[in-house]
Each structure stands twice: as structure tokens, then as C-alpha cells.
């Protein structure tokens, strides 16, 4: 395989040219060789690393953790337990984020349920967002102050 310019490397790896430059700037990938006129030239191994990074980003790993993964990937003598521990820690982070997203969804669903959505100006959604208290505390207050609606689940 002959050397590719940044556009070709981006297409082959699925990583945008902007992100390739960013990964180089933050030290995630080394700067590639350049032509006499200054154009970046990527070889097959560098494109493979970009694909690796894209896959790790698709799984939600941070740039810092991807740096660790790339380092472990390039170190053929590394113990797999280090990789597994990194992945397990990321699973915990994802579970926490999923829990937080579900809590946000539940709060918003409740606020939507409490909003009459008619011609009246009163809107618990806007009132909650304008409140100085955190949304979760405001939600508890709204729940206590509103009469239960038919088929409503208490929160």
C-alpha cells in the first residue's frame, strides 16, 4: 500500500481530517511523515491506528483512555488484565451515565405529563427550568403541589 494524504487516510479510517489533526495535536497519534511540499503522508499502520481510535471513540472512551488503549495495543507484552480493567472501568462509567440519562428522561417525562399543553400560560416545564433549585428538587416540589392526574404514576 502506498502512502496516502490526509483526505485518503480519513476516508480509509472513517476519521475526519479535522479529528486526525486533533489527534496529532493532542499526541494520540504521532505526526506522520510529510512530503517536500508539507503534505501529510500516512502509511497502512497509521491508518490502522486511526481505525482503532475510531472504534474506541464509538465505544465512548475518552481521548485519555484511548491513549492508554493505543499504548497497550502497541505493547505486545502487556497483560490482558490491564486492558480488561480499563474496559470494566469504562463499563461502570457508561452505567452511571445511563442511570443519569434515565433519571433525566424520567424527570422530563413527568414534567411533560404535568404540563396541560393548552392555551394557559402556566407551564411546569418552564417553571422548573427557571427555578433556582436543581431540577430534581424542583421536580419533588412540583409533584407535591400538583393534584394527581388520571393514570398518573407517583414520583
Amino acid at each position: 500500500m502506498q502512502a496516502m494524504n490526509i483526505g485518503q487516510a480519513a476516508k480509509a479510517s472513517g476519521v475526519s481530517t479535522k479529528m486526525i489533526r486533533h489527534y496529532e495535536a493532542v499526541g494520540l497519534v504521532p505526526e506522520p511523515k510529510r512530503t517536500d511540499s508539507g503534505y501529510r503522508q500516512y502509511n497502512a499502520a497509521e491508518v490502522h491506528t486511526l481505525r482503532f481510535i475510531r472504534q474506541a471513540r464509538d465505544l465512548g472512551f475518552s481521548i485519555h483512555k484511548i491513549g492508554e488503549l493505543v499504548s497497550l495495543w502497541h505493547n505486545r507484552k502487556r497483560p490482558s488484565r490491564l486492558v480488561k480493567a480499563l474496559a470494566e472501568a469504562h463499563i461502570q462509567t457508561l452505567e452511571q451515565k445511563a442511570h443519569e440519562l434515565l433519571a433525566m428522561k424520567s424527570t422530563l417525562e413527568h414534567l411533560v405529563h404535568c404540563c396541560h399543553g393548552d392555551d394557559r400560560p402556566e407551564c411546569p416545564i418552564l417553571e422548573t427550568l427557571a427555578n433556582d433549585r436543581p431540577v430534581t428538587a424542583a421536580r419533588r416540589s412540583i409533584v407535591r403541589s400538583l393534584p394527581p392526574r388520571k393514570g398518573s404514576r407517583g414520583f
Side-chain angles (χ1 to χ4, degrees), residues 125-143:
I125 300 167
L126 295 176
E127 290 168 16
T128 300
L129 294 174
N131 198 314
D132 289 338
R133 290 177 294 161
V135 172
T136 53
R139 176 178 169 210
R140 286 190 293 273
S141 173
I142 288 172
V143 170

Side-chain angles (χ1 to χ4, degrees), residues 18-147:
K18 182 178 179 179
M19 288 309 297
I20 292 172
R21 288 185 192 100
H22 175 69
Y23 295 154
E24 290 171 10
V26 298
L28 194 55
V29 294
E31 282 201 28
K33 292 180 183 176
R34 292 185 180 254
T35 64
D36 292 338
S37 54
Y39 291 103
R40 292 169 170 88
Q41 292 289 292
Y42 298 87
N43 62 34
E46 291 163 331
V47 170
H48 194 150
T49 298
L50 290 169
R51 280 191 204 110
F52 180 95
I53 292 167
R54 187 200 70 232
Q55 295 276 61
R57 288 295 289 165
D58 289 348
L59 290 174
F61 283 99
S62 68
I63 295 292
H64 175 74
K65 293 298 179 189
I66 291 173
E68 290 180 42
L69 287 167
V70 169
S71 179
L72 289 166
W73 180 47
H74 287 151
N75 176 3
R76 301 301 299 164
K77 295 182 180 184
R78 56 53 181 97
S80 64
R81 71 178 139 63
L82 296 177
V83 181
K84 184 175 182 176
L86 202 149
E88 287 174 334
H90 186 57
I91 289 169
Q92 293 298 315
T93 300
L94 292 174
E95 285 177 350
Q96 180 62 35
K97 285 181 183 180
H99 177 73
E100 291 168 5
L101 286 171
L102 289 173
M104 285 187 265
K105 178 180 177 277
S106 175
T107 299
L108 190 54
E109 284 174 336
H110 177 72
L111 292 171
V112 166
H113 179 76
C114 291
C115 182
H116 293 282
D118 55 19
D119 292 333
R120 291 182 281 181
E122 294 81 20
C123 177
I125 300 167
L126 295 176
E127 290 168 16
T128 300
L129 294 174
N131 198 314
D132 289 338
R133 290 177 294 161
V135 172
T136 53
R139 176 178 169 210
R140 286 190 293 273
S141 173
I142 288 172
V143 170
R144 285 190 294 268
S145 69
L146 294 173

